[in-house]
Amino acid sequence: MSDLDPAAPGARSAPEAPVVSGRESGRIAFAAFVGTALEWYDYFLFGTAAALVFNRLYFTTLDATAATLAAFATFGVGFVARPIGAVLFGWMGDRIGRRPALLLTVVAIGAATGLIGLLPDFASIGIAAPLLLALLRLVQGVAVGGEWGGAVTLAVEHAPPEKRGRYAALPQIGSPVGTLLSSGAFALVLLMPAEQFDSWGWRLPFLAAFPLLLVAVYIRRKVEESPIFEELEKREERSKVPAVDVFRQAWGRLLVAVASALLGVGGFYIMTTFAISYGADTLGMSRSLMVNSTLAAAVVQIGVIVVAGRLAERLGPGRMTMWGGLATAAVAFPVFWMIDTTSPVPVVLAVAAGVGVLSIAYAVSGALLTELFPAHLRYSGVALAYNIAGALSGFLPFIATALMDGADGASWVASLLLAGVALITALGGFYGERLRVRDNVVVR
């Protein structure tokens, strides 16, 4: 029996007749969105700072290109750590509960982000500065490794099956809202004189993580446990070591899930983190322009996610993923040609269009990935898939920068990387639609 067969052991249905409430599902999904938005705010701050600050203040002994590469390598450390978080919090989410895992993730990432705002730079403590920066990024990565998978799992498992597309999309909106908050915070502090910005201004968005952490914990404490997990607990059908069982029983589904999630993670960072660095450092455009272009892109992304989430309920999340991947591959070269003009309006339109098109696939990742895995492996399977995709694609800004430096700054390198990732995701969506698991639930 094939691992990809819906009748395979790793694909059996959730336990019979857990009850989900249509009245409660919107509130649970909104709570998941708020917590996820605050977590992504913390995580995205690092990407913006890697392009604008860390290369100059924490890697000062290197030349400009090497410093940017070092900053992006530190940025990538968070992605390497994310599968570790997926295993750790996936075990907790599938064994102890979705809710306690999500409480721990938000505390870990909020504390690590706030501490970055207090970290002395290279001029103050030497080599310890970049080492501690990498360590805090590692903590961020571990925490985020368990966050997204738990948030979408909780939202989906509280929702009626026919409305999962819209409720799974709500945590996805946390990403552009996190971008708006983080880029907006940096846009404000960039208004400071350069000396004040470098001295202490850039730290303010990171220090804001401490009060936001209190908000996130308050929200997460009000979220009820998943009724599907509670049914698993009653029937004692929980996996003992869910990550191992995912690789043993559902490895084919894991491969499909990784492929379908690749564009939403890697493509996004090509169009934001890399594009900011490319526009500011290679093309000489203002840092404010590049940061503001990500703000415009985030607004577009919110609209795309809302529409795509609803369409997924009619067309299927796998089909939406496939078409989103193909559309992104088609626009990969034009968006970077527009950035190369260095004219403000085309640049903003290019970043907004690039992020908007790739968000078609990202919008439905939660709906697709949660339905690729059975309930007893769901938190671990979703978290592993999403974060393996992150680990594979988190170094794309680093790779694009390195390859472009060897190609005399030609943007076709980044375009080719984006198109390649998009086509892999399109293939994942094609197969993913055929492998979806249906939970047997009663809607109250």
Side-chain angles (χ1 to χ4, degrees):
M1 183 180 294
S2 169
D3 171 72
L4 299 183
D5 190 329
R12 62 182 183 274
S13 297
E16 293 184 5
V19 177
V20 298
S21 170
R23 294 188 302 272
E24 294 295 318
S25 53
R27 183 178 63 82
I28 299 295
F30 179 76
F33 148 70
V34 173
T36 302
L38 295 177
E39 290 232 4
W40 283 128
Y41 165 79
D42 291 344
Y43 198 69
F44 290 161
L45 280 177
F46 200 103
T48 305
L52 300 179
V53 178
F54 296 152
N55 57 331
R56 295 181 295 106
L57 299 184
Y58 287 83
F59 302 95
T60 55
T61 60
L62 304 174
D63 63 48
T65 299
T68 300
L69 288 172
F72 281 155
T74 305
F75 172 73
V77 165
F79 289 92
V80 174
R82 281 167 61 169
I84 300 172
V87 172
L88 174 64
F89 290 106
W91 174 86
M92 183 177 295
D94 285 327
R95 286 290 303 170
I96 301 174
R98 301 0 181 170
R99 182 176 176 272
L102 287 172
L103 279 169
L104 281 179
T105 60
V106 77
V107 171
I109 195 171
T113 303
L115 289 173
I116 290 173
L118 299 173
L119 185 63
D121 60 19
F122 188 92
S124 300
I125 60 173
I127 192 65
L131 292 177
L132 288 172
L133 183 65
L135 177 62
L136 291 171
R137 180 60 171 175
L138 190 70
V139 174
Q140 278 192 328
V142 171
V144 169
E147 160 62 25
W148 184 85
V152 297
T153 295
L154 198 64
V156 164
E157 289 186 342
H158 274 282
E162 71 277 6
K163 295 183 178 180
R164 283 182 167 182
R166 70 191 70 180
Y167 293 130
L170 266 179
Q172 302 300 79
I173 298 176
S175 173
V177 169
T179 299
L180 282 171
L181 292 173
S182 60
S183 296
F186 259 101
L188 288 175
V189 295
L190 280 170
L191 297 174
M192 295 179 171
E195 184 177 346
Q196 291 183 17
F197 174 80
D198 286 350
S199 176
W200 56 270
W202 69 268
R203 298 179 182 276
L204 296 178
F206 286 90
L207 293 174
F210 287 128
L212 291 175
L213 171 59
L214 299 177
V215 175
V217 170
Y218 174 78
I219 291 170
R220 285 281 160 89
R221 287 185 56 136
K222 288 183 168 293
V223 173
E224 291 87 357
E225 185 55 85
S226 157
I228 291 178
F229 175 80
E230 289 178 337
E231 191 67 26
L232 288 174
E233 197 171 28
K234 287 179 187 176
R235 296 170 180 263
E236 298 183 351
E237 295 181 358
R238 293 166 296 169
S239 171
K240 291 184 178 179
V241 189
V244 172
D245 287 343
V246 168
F247 283 103
R248 188 177 60 188
Q249 300 175 9
W251 59 268
R253 293 172 178 276
L254 181 63
L255 288 177
V256 170
V258 169
S260 67
L262 206 59
L263 178 61
V265 185
F268 178 81
Y269 285 111
I270 290 175
M271 287 307 308
T272 55
T273 301
F274 170 77
I276 288 173
S277 176
Y278 174 64
D281 298 338
T282 302
L283 300 180
M285 289 185 280
S286 74
R287 292 180 294 176
S288 294
L289 171 62
M290 298 311 300
V291 170
N292 288 337
S293 69
T294 66
L295 292 175
V299 174
V300 172
Q301 190 178 23
I302 292 171
V304 171
I305 289 173
V306 171
V307 173
R310 296 299 292 266
L311 286 175
E313 295 173 356
R314 295 184 178 183
L315 303 178
R319 293 188 186 91
M320 293 295 294
T321 300
M322 180 184 69
W323 289 113
L326 293 174
T328 303
V331 303
F333 284 87
V335 295
F336 275 96
W337 293 337
M338 292 171 69
I339 293 174
D340 286 340
T341 66
T342 71
S343 180
V345 172
V347 168
V348 173
L349 290 175
V351 175
V355 171
V357 174
L358 69 85
S359 295
I360 297 171
Y362 177 74
V364 300
S365 286
L368 179 58
L369 267 62
T370 52
E371 292 191 339
L372 278 174
F373 297 96
H376 69 294
L377 302 177
R378 181 165 291 148
Y379 196 130
S380 295
V382 172
L384 279 168
Y386 189 74
N387 292 294
I388 289 172
L392 292 174
S393 61
F395 286 96
L396 285 178
F398 174 90
I399 294 169
T401 301
L403 292 178
M404 195 176 326
D405 187 58
D408 296 325
S411 65
W412 64 264
V413 172
S415 302
L416 192 61
L417 281 174
L418 180 59
V421 168
L423 291 175
I424 292 171
T425 287
L427 188 64
F430 175 79
Y431 283 106
E433 184 63 30
R434 288 155 176 75
L435 299 171
R436 292 166 60 198
V437 173
R438 302 319 197 263
D439 288 323
N440 183 20
V441 298
V442 174
V443 180
R444 184 174 59 199

mmCIF file of all heavy atoms in Angstrom, residues 153-192:
data_model
loop_
_atom_site.group_PDB
_atom_site.id
_atom_site.type_symbol
_atom_site.label_atom_id
_atom_site.label_comp_id
_atom_site.label_asym_id
_atom_site.label_seq_id
_atom_site.Cartn_x
_atom_site.Cartn_y
_atom_site.Cartn_z
ATOM 1 N N THR A 153 -3.721 24.521 12.995
ATOM 2 C CA THR A 153 -4.368 23.283 13.435
ATOM 3 C C THR A 153 -5.543 23.585 14.358
ATOM 4 O O THR A 153 -6.642 23.031 14.200
ATOM 5 C CB THR A 153 -3.357 22.374 14.157
ATOM 6 O OG1 THR A 153 -2.355 21.953 13.232
ATOM 7 C CG2 THR A 153 -4.040 21.141 14.739
ATOM 8 N N LEU A 154 -5.334 24.483 15.303
ATOM 9 C CA LEU A 154 -6.400 24.839 16.235
ATOM 10 C C LEU A 154 -7.565 25.497 15.508
ATOM 11 O O LEU A 154 -8.739 25.199 15.763
ATOM 12 C CB LEU A 154 -5.851 25.779 17.305
ATOM 13 C CG LEU A 154 -6.677 25.911 18.593
ATOM 14 C CD1 LEU A 154 -6.730 24.585 19.339
ATOM 15 C CD2 LEU A 154 -6.081 26.986 19.493
ATOM 16 N N ALA A 155 -7.256 26.419 14.585
ATOM 17 C CA ALA A 155 -8.323 27.098 13.843
ATOM 18 C C ALA A 155 -9.131 26.120 13.000
ATOM 19 O O ALA A 155 -10.366 26.171 12.976
ATOM 20 C CB ALA A 155 -7.723 28.195 12.960
ATOM 21 N N VAL A 156 -8.460 25.212 12.313
ATOM 22 C CA VAL A 156 -9.138 24.259 11.440
ATOM 23 C C VAL A 156 -9.945 23.250 12.251
ATOM 24 O O VAL A 156 -11.080 22.908 11.894
ATOM 25 C CB VAL A 156 -8.109 23.541 10.543
ATOM 26 C CG1 VAL A 156 -8.705 22.280 9.922
ATOM 27 C CG2 VAL A 156 -7.634 24.480 9.442
ATOM 28 N N GLU A 157 -9.394 22.773 13.358
ATOM 29 C CA GLU A 157 -10.078 21.723 14.121
ATOM 30 C C GLU A 157 -11.293 22.253 14.885
ATOM 31 O O GLU A 157 -12.105 21.465 15.354
ATOM 32 C CB GLU A 157 -9.098 21.040 15.068
ATOM 33 C CG GLU A 157 -8.093 20.172 14.326
ATOM 34 C CD GLU A 157 -7.201 19.359 15.233
ATOM 35 O OE1 GLU A 157 -7.100 19.678 16.435
ATOM 36 O OE2 GLU A 157 -6.579 18.400 14.720
ATOM 37 N N HIS A 158 -11.424 23.543 15.012
ATOM 38 C CA HIS A 158 -12.629 24.130 15.599
ATOM 39 C C HIS A 158 -13.678 24.469 14.539
ATOM 40 O O HIS A 158 -14.805 24.830 14.886
ATOM 41 C CB HIS A 158 -12.280 25.409 16.370
ATOM 42 C CG HIS A 158 -11.856 25.180 17.786
ATOM 43 N ND1 HIS A 158 -12.752 24.922 18.800
ATOM 44 C CD2 HIS A 158 -10.633 25.160 18.355
ATOM 45 C CE1 HIS A 158 -12.098 24.757 19.937
ATOM 46 N NE2 HIS A 158 -10.813 24.898 19.700
ATOM 47 N N ALA A 159 -13.317 24.406 13.258
ATOM 48 C CA ALA A 159 -14.189 24.909 12.195
ATOM 49 C C ALA A 159 -15.001 23.799 11.543
ATOM 50 O O ALA A 159 -14.536 22.658 11.418
ATOM 51 C CB ALA A 159 -13.348 25.620 11.137
ATOM 52 N N PRO A 160 -16.229 24.098 11.071
ATOM 53 C CA PRO A 160 -16.970 23.153 10.246
ATOM 54 C C PRO A 160 -16.180 22.871 8.964
ATOM 55 O O PRO A 160 -15.557 23.789 8.408
ATOM 56 C CB PRO A 160 -18.271 23.902 9.928
ATOM 57 C CG PRO A 160 -18.392 24.939 10.993
ATOM 58 C CD PRO A 160 -16.987 25.338 11.343
ATOM 59 N N PRO A 161 -16.163 21.629 8.486
ATOM 60 C CA PRO A 161 -15.348 21.278 7.317
ATOM 61 C C PRO A 161 -15.578 22.164 6.097
ATOM 62 O O PRO A 161 -14.629 22.504 5.386
ATOM 63 C CB PRO A 161 -15.751 19.823 7.036
ATOM 64 C CG PRO A 161 -16.151 19.286 8.374
ATOM 65 C CD PRO A 161 -16.828 20.446 9.067
ATOM 66 N N GLU A 162 -16.835 22.555 5.863
ATOM 67 C CA GLU A 162 -17.120 23.352 4.663
ATOM 68 C C GLU A 162 -16.669 24.805 4.786
ATOM 69 O O GLU A 162 -16.690 25.543 3.798
ATOM 70 C CB GLU A 162 -18.622 23.299 4.348
ATOM 71 C CG GLU A 162 -19.519 24.055 5.319
ATOM 72 C CD GLU A 162 -19.862 23.263 6.571
ATOM 73 O OE1 GLU A 162 -19.306 22.148 6.734
ATOM 74 O OE2 GLU A 162 -20.695 23.740 7.370
ATOM 75 N N LYS A 163 -16.246 25.230 5.986
ATOM 76 C CA LYS A 163 -15.791 26.602 6.190
ATOM 77 C C LYS A 163 -14.323 26.684 6.605
ATOM 78 O O LYS A 163 -13.863 27.726 7.068
ATOM 79 C CB LYS A 163 -16.661 27.298 7.243
ATOM 80 C CG LYS A 163 -18.106 27.478 6.807
ATOM 81 C CD LYS A 163 -18.916 28.229 7.857
ATOM 82 C CE LYS A 163 -20.352 28.442 7.399
ATOM 83 N NZ LYS A 163 -21.148 29.165 8.418
ATOM 84 N N ARG A 164 -13.596 25.607 6.407
ATOM 85 C CA ARG A 164 -12.207 25.592 6.857
ATOM 86 C C ARG A 164 -11.320 26.551 6.062
ATOM 87 O O ARG A 164 -10.338 27.069 6.583
ATOM 88 C CB ARG A 164 -11.640 24.171 6.773
ATOM 89 C CG ARG A 164 -12.127 23.285 7.905
ATOM 90 C CD ARG A 164 -11.526 21.894 7.834
ATOM 91 N NE ARG A 164 -11.762 21.174 9.083
ATOM 92 C CZ ARG A 164 -11.318 19.951 9.324
ATOM 93 N NH1 ARG A 164 -10.623 19.309 8.393
ATOM 94 N NH2 ARG A 164 -11.568 19.375 10.479
ATOM 95 N N GLY A 165 -11.642 26.777 4.809
ATOM 96 C CA GLY A 165 -10.821 27.666 3.994
ATOM 97 C C GLY A 165 -10.723 29.059 4.579
ATOM 98 O O GLY A 165 -9.642 29.624 4.702
ATOM 99 N N ARG A 166 -11.862 29.621 4.974
ATOM 100 C CA ARG A 166 -11.864 30.991 5.494
ATOM 101 C C ARG A 166 -11.209 31.072 6.874
ATOM 102 O O ARG A 166 -10.488 32.025 7.176
ATOM 103 C CB ARG A 166 -13.289 31.540 5.531
ATOM 104 C CG ARG A 166 -14.191 30.911 6.576
ATOM 105 C CD ARG A 166 -15.640 31.304 6.395
ATOM 106 N NE ARG A 166 -16.197 30.665 5.193
ATOM 107 C CZ ARG A 166 -17.444 30.838 4.796
ATOM 108 N NH1 ARG A 166 -18.250 31.630 5.492
ATOM 109 N NH2 ARG A 166 -17.885 30.233 3.711
ATOM 110 N N TYR A 167 -11.462 30.060 7.724
ATOM 111 C CA TYR A 167 -10.906 30.120 9.076
ATOM 112 C C TYR A 167 -9.418 29.773 9.091
ATOM 113 O O TYR A 167 -8.671 30.302 9.904
ATOM 114 C CB TYR A 167 -11.691 29.207 10.011
ATOM 115 C CG TYR A 167 -13.109 29.691 10.245
ATOM 116 C CD1 TYR A 167 -14.200 28.845 10.095
ATOM 117 C CD2 TYR A 167 -13.356 31.019 10.590
ATOM 118 C CE1 TYR A 167 -15.492 29.297 10.303
ATOM 119 C CE2 TYR A 167 -14.646 31.477 10.790
ATOM 120 C CZ TYR A 167 -15.714 30.614 10.644
ATOM 121 O OH TYR A 167 -16.985 31.085 10.846
ATOM 122 N N ALA A 168 -8.987 28.904 8.187
ATOM 123 C CA ALA A 168 -7.557 28.616 8.075
ATOM 124 C C ALA A 168 -6.798 29.812 7.511
ATOM 125 O O ALA A 168 -5.599 29.964 7.754
ATOM 126 C CB ALA A 168 -7.327 27.397 7.186
ATOM 127 N N ALA A 169 -7.499 30.664 6.755
ATOM 128 C CA ALA A 169 -6.851 31.849 6.194
ATOM 129 C C ALA A 169 -6.614 32.932 7.237
ATOM 130 O O ALA A 169 -5.711 33.759 7.077
ATOM 131 C CB ALA A 169 -7.688 32.408 5.039
ATOM 132 N N LEU A 170 -7.411 32.939 8.302
ATOM 133 C CA LEU A 170 -7.261 33.995 9.308
ATOM 134 C C LEU A 170 -5.872 33.999 9.961
ATOM 135 O O LEU A 170 -5.252 35.061 10.065
ATOM 136 C CB LEU A 170 -8.359 33.879 10.368
ATOM 137 C CG LEU A 170 -9.619 34.717 10.143
ATOM 138 C CD1 LEU A 170 -10.623 34.478 11.252
ATOM 139 C CD2 LEU A 170 -9.290 36.197 10.043
ATOM 140 N N PRO A 171 -5.337 32.855 10.418
ATOM 141 C CA PRO A 171 -3.964 32.900 10.927
ATOM 142 C C PRO A 171 -2.957 33.335 9.874
ATOM 143 O O PRO A 171 -1.915 33.926 10.200
ATOM 144 C CB PRO A 171 -3.700 31.448 11.364
ATOM 145 C CG PRO A 171 -5.051 30.883 11.646
ATOM 146 C CD PRO A 171 -5.956 31.536 10.646
ATOM 147 N N GLN A 172 -3.248 33.077 8.586
ATOM 148 C CA GLN A 172 -2.351 33.512 7.518
ATOM 149 C C GLN A 172 -2.281 35.032 7.438
ATOM 150 O O GLN A 172 -1.257 35.602 7.055
ATOM 151 C CB GLN A 172 -2.817 32.956 6.170
ATOM 152 C CG GLN A 172 -2.910 31.447 6.097
ATOM 153 C CD GLN A 172 -1.590 30.784 6.359
ATOM 154 O OE1 GLN A 172 -1.168 30.641 7.508
ATOM 155 N NE2 GLN A 172 -0.902 30.378 5.315
ATOM 156 N N ILE A 173 -3.383 35.697 7.776
ATOM 157 C CA ILE A 173 -3.376 37.163 7.758
ATOM 158 C C ILE A 173 -2.427 37.699 8.825
ATOM 159 O O ILE A 173 -1.948 38.834 8.738
ATOM 160 C CB ILE A 173 -4.810 37.706 7.957
ATOM 161 C CG1 ILE A 173 -5.705 37.248 6.802
ATOM 162 C CG2 ILE A 173 -4.827 39.230 8.030
ATOM 163 C CD1 ILE A 173 -7.165 37.642 6.963
ATOM 164 N N GLY A 174 -2.120 36.878 9.821
ATOM 165 C CA GLY A 174 -1.131 37.281 10.820
ATOM 166 C C GLY A 174 0.207 37.640 10.205
ATOM 167 O O GLY A 174 0.933 38.494 10.731
ATOM 168 N N SER A 175 0.547 37.007 9.081
ATOM 169 C CA SER A 175 1.828 37.301 8.436
ATOM 170 C C SER A 175 1.883 38.723 7.880
ATOM 171 O O SER A 175 2.794 39.482 8.224
ATOM 172 C CB SER A 175 2.106 36.283 7.328
ATOM 173 O OG SER A 175 3.258 36.626 6.592
ATOM 174 N N PRO A 176 0.942 39.141 7.013
ATOM 175 C CA PRO A 176 1.014 40.532 6.542
ATOM 176 C C PRO A 176 0.793 41.562 7.636
ATOM 177 O O PRO A 176 1.373 42.648 7.591
ATOM 178 C CB PRO A 176 -0.082 40.617 5.470
ATOM 179 C CG PRO A 176 -0.994 39.486 5.753
ATOM 180 C CD PRO A 176 -0.125 38.401 6.312
ATOM 181 N N VAL A 177 -0.054 41.236 8.634
ATOM 182 C CA VAL A 177 -0.232 42.170 9.736
ATOM 183 C C VAL A 177 1.068 42.291 10.527
ATOM 184 O O VAL A 177 1.474 43.394 10.931
ATOM 185 C CB VAL A 177 -1.387 41.729 10.655
ATOM 186 C CG1 VAL A 177 -1.411 42.545 11.938
ATOM 187 C CG2 VAL A 177 -2.720 41.876 9.924
ATOM 188 N N GLY A 178 1.760 41.169 10.728
ATOM 189 C CA GLY A 178 3.074 41.222 11.360
ATOM 190 C C GLY A 178 4.060 42.040 10.542
ATOM 191 O O GLY A 178 4.878 42.785 11.092
ATOM 192 N N THR A 179 3.972 41.910 9.218
ATOM 193 C CA THR A 179 4.823 42.715 8.338
ATOM 194 C C THR A 179 4.503 44.196 8.484
ATOM 195 O O THR A 179 5.405 45.036 8.560
ATOM 196 C CB THR A 179 4.635 42.289 6.872
ATOM 197 O OG1 THR A 179 5.005 40.914 6.737
ATOM 198 C CG2 THR A 179 5.497 43.123 5.940
ATOM 199 N N LEU A 180 3.192 44.521 8.489
ATOM 200 C CA LEU A 180 2.800 45.922 8.646
ATOM 201 C C LEU A 180 3.317 46.499 9.962
ATOM 202 O O LEU A 180 3.848 47.613 10.005
ATOM 203 C CB LEU A 180 1.277 46.051 8.591
ATOM 204 C CG LEU A 180 0.619 45.985 7.213
ATOM 205 C CD1 LEU A 180 -0.888 45.898 7.355
ATOM 206 C CD2 LEU A 180 1.015 47.212 6.393
ATOM 207 N N LEU A 181 3.168 45.736 11.029
ATOM 208 C CA LEU A 181 3.623 46.210 12.332
ATOM 209 C C LEU A 181 5.133 46.380 12.375
ATOM 210 O O LEU A 181 5.645 47.401 12.841
ATOM 211 C CB LEU A 181 3.171 45.244 13.431
ATOM 212 C CG LEU A 181 1.673 45.169 13.711
ATOM 213 C CD1 LEU A 181 1.373 44.039 14.694
ATOM 214 C CD2 LEU A 181 1.164 46.496 14.263
ATOM 215 N N SER A 182 5.867 45.370 11.877
ATOM 216 C CA SER A 182 7.326 45.435 11.953
ATOM 217 C C SER A 182 7.895 46.465 10.981
ATOM 218 O O SER A 182 8.763 47.272 11.358
ATOM 219 C CB SER A 182 7.937 44.059 11.679
ATOM 220 O OG SER A 182 7.578 43.588 10.402
ATOM 221 N N SER A 183 7.414 46.451 9.727
ATOM 222 C CA SER A 183 7.905 47.432 8.759
ATOM 223 C C SER A 183 7.463 48.838 9.143
ATOM 224 O O SER A 183 8.210 49.810 8.969
ATOM 225 C CB SER A 183 7.394 47.096 7.350
ATOM 226 O OG SER A 183 7.916 45.869 6.907
ATOM 227 N N GLY A 184 6.242 48.955 9.669
ATOM 228 C CA GLY A 184 5.776 50.264 10.120
ATOM 229 C C GLY A 184 6.612 50.795 11.264
ATOM 230 O O GLY A 184 6.943 51.994 11.311
ATOM 231 N N ALA A 185 6.965 49.908 12.189
ATOM 232 C CA ALA A 185 7.823 50.326 13.300
ATOM 233 C C ALA A 185 9.178 50.797 12.797
ATOM 234 O O ALA A 185 9.699 51.834 13.244
ATOM 235 C CB ALA A 185 7.993 49.169 14.281
ATOM 236 N N PHE A 186 9.744 50.073 11.841
ATOM 237 C CA PHE A 186 11.035 50.490 11.293
ATOM 238 C C PHE A 186 10.906 51.751 10.454
ATOM 239 O O PHE A 186 11.814 52.594 10.430
ATOM 240 C CB PHE A 186 11.669 49.360 10.476
ATOM 241 C CG PHE A 186 12.733 48.622 11.227
ATOM 242 C CD1 PHE A 186 12.464 47.402 11.807
ATOM 243 C CD2 PHE A 186 13.999 49.151 11.378
ATOM 244 C CE1 PHE A 186 13.435 46.721 12.524
ATOM 245 C CE2 PHE A 186 14.981 48.485 12.082
ATOM 246 C CZ PHE A 186 14.694 47.260 12.664
ATOM 247 N N ALA A 187 9.794 51.900 9.731
ATOM 248 C CA ALA A 187 9.596 53.116 8.942
ATOM 249 C C ALA A 187 9.579 54.347 9.844
ATOM 250 O O ALA A 187 10.112 55.408 9.485
ATOM 251 C CB ALA A 187 8.299 53.026 8.142
ATOM 252 N N LEU A 188 9.000 54.210 11.027
ATOM 253 C CA LEU A 188 8.954 55.330 11.964
ATOM 254 C C LEU A 188 10.336 55.654 12.522
ATOM 255 O O LEU A 188 10.745 56.822 12.548
ATOM 256 C CB LEU A 188 7.988 55.020 13.116
ATOM 257 C CG LEU A 188 6.498 55.027 12.774
ATOM 258 C CD1 LEU A 188 5.676 54.578 13.975
ATOM 259 C CD2 LEU A 188 6.064 56.430 12.329
ATOM 260 N N VAL A 189 11.068 54.639 12.952
ATOM 261 C CA VAL A 189 12.382 54.921 13.545
ATOM 262 C C VAL A 189 13.395 55.347 12.483
ATOM 263 O O VAL A 189 14.394 56.015 12.798
ATOM 264 C CB VAL A 189 12.915 53.722 14.365
ATOM 265 C CG1 VAL A 189 12.017 53.469 15.561
ATOM 266 C CG2 VAL A 189 13.055 52.477 13.519
ATOM 267 N N LEU A 190 13.147 55.007 11.215
ATOM 268 C CA LEU A 190 14.040 55.472 10.144
ATOM 269 C C LEU A 190 13.904 56.972 9.904
ATOM 270 O O LEU A 190 14.746 57.565 9.208
ATOM 271 C CB LEU A 190 13.764 54.702 8.850
ATOM 272 C CG LEU A 190 14.391 53.309 8.743
ATOM 273 C CD1 LEU A 190 13.839 52.563 7.540
ATOM 274 C CD2 LEU A 190 15.912 53.402 8.646
ATOM 275 N N LEU A 191 12.848 57.579 10.454
ATOM 276 C CA LEU A 191 12.710 59.031 10.355
ATOM 277 C C LEU A 191 13.697 59.758 11.255
ATOM 278 O O LEU A 191 13.914 60.967 11.097
ATOM 279 C CB LEU A 191 11.277 59.444 10.722
ATOM 280 C CG LEU A 191 10.160 58.904 9.812
ATOM 281 C CD1 LEU A 191 8.795 59.277 10.369
ATOM 282 C CD2 LEU A 191 10.330 59.420 8.385
ATOM 283 N N MET A 192 14.300 59.043 12.187
ATOM 284 C CA MET A 192 15.298 59.641 13.065
ATOM 285 C C MET A 192 16.573 59.964 12.293
ATOM 286 O O MET A 192 16.849 59.370 11.252
ATOM 287 C CB MET A 192 15.657 58.658 14.196
ATOM 288 C CG MET A 192 14.543 58.331 15.150
ATOM 289 S SD MET A 192 15.146 57.135 16.392
ATOM 290 C CE MET A 192 13.768 57.131 17.528
#
